[in-house]
Amino acid sequence: MASVVTQQTAIWQSYPDVRIITLNQLPIGGVYPTLGIDRALAVLGAGNQFGWPILLIDAGTALTFTGADVNRYLVGGAILPGLGLQLSSLSKKTAALPLISLPENLPHRWAKDTAGAIQSGVVYATVAGVRDFIEDWRCLFPDSKIAVTGGDRAMLLKYLTAAFPDTAAGVIDAPEAIFLGMSHEL
């Protein structure tokens, strides 16, 4: 079992025959104490499945970038709010912006209504950021694999492909990355 939710982990620890996976058990060098076990397991799973070096982009509640080199050594990464969290925070933390959903396709950049403007801002800024991280990673590791996992991965890949097809080329859809990491023999 692995979890980044401390309260839930505490509950599951009381179950019989539960084995908790920790960072120090993973064959990845350079990890730091606050690295989320979810990020570490996902990059391990993607690297083992697709090859090292690897950049793993997790498009979940948070949008994370986690990179490791050919020696399975953590290069580093970044964390920002995921697509859904950006949308919900605009609705909850502003006086008049509505909660909207992600568009099925890349939205019009220059929107003429509030909902469209929110979609444009969130989608285009996120996709531009993803592109920037991918392009920088490719400069550092030209032969690297790049994989995307997480609940919003299909939508993110669709947007990235529509906006920047050259950047999206070769990016691997890896919905099972974290489970591949958990299945690694520890």
Side-chain angles (χ1 to χ4, degrees), residues 58-151:
D58 189 337
T61 304
L63 178 61
T64 65
F65 301 85
T66 310
D69 67 18
V70 70
N71 297 312
R72 294 182 182 200
Y73 194 88
L74 182 71
V75 172
I79 303 171
L80 64 145
L83 291 163
L85 188 56
Q86 290 180 59
L87 294 172
S88 69
S89 68
L90 284 172
S91 170
K92 290 178 184 173
K93 299 295 183 177
T94 63
L97 295 178
L99 178 60
I100 60 160
S101 58
L102 291 171
E104 281 300 311
N105 297 301
L106 195 64
H108 294 288
R109 184 180 296 263
W110 303 107
K112 292 185 177 184
D113 61 80
T114 299
I118 293 169
Q119 290 175 332
S120 174
V122 168
V123 170
Y124 280 98
T126 300
V127 170
V130 169
R131 177 185 184 222
D132 184 68
F133 273 94
I134 290 172
E135 295 304 322
D136 187 71
W137 185 260
R138 285 181 172 154
C139 287
L140 296 171
F141 301 96
D143 297 324
S144 180
K145 301 294 187 210
I146 299 170
V148 180
T149 195

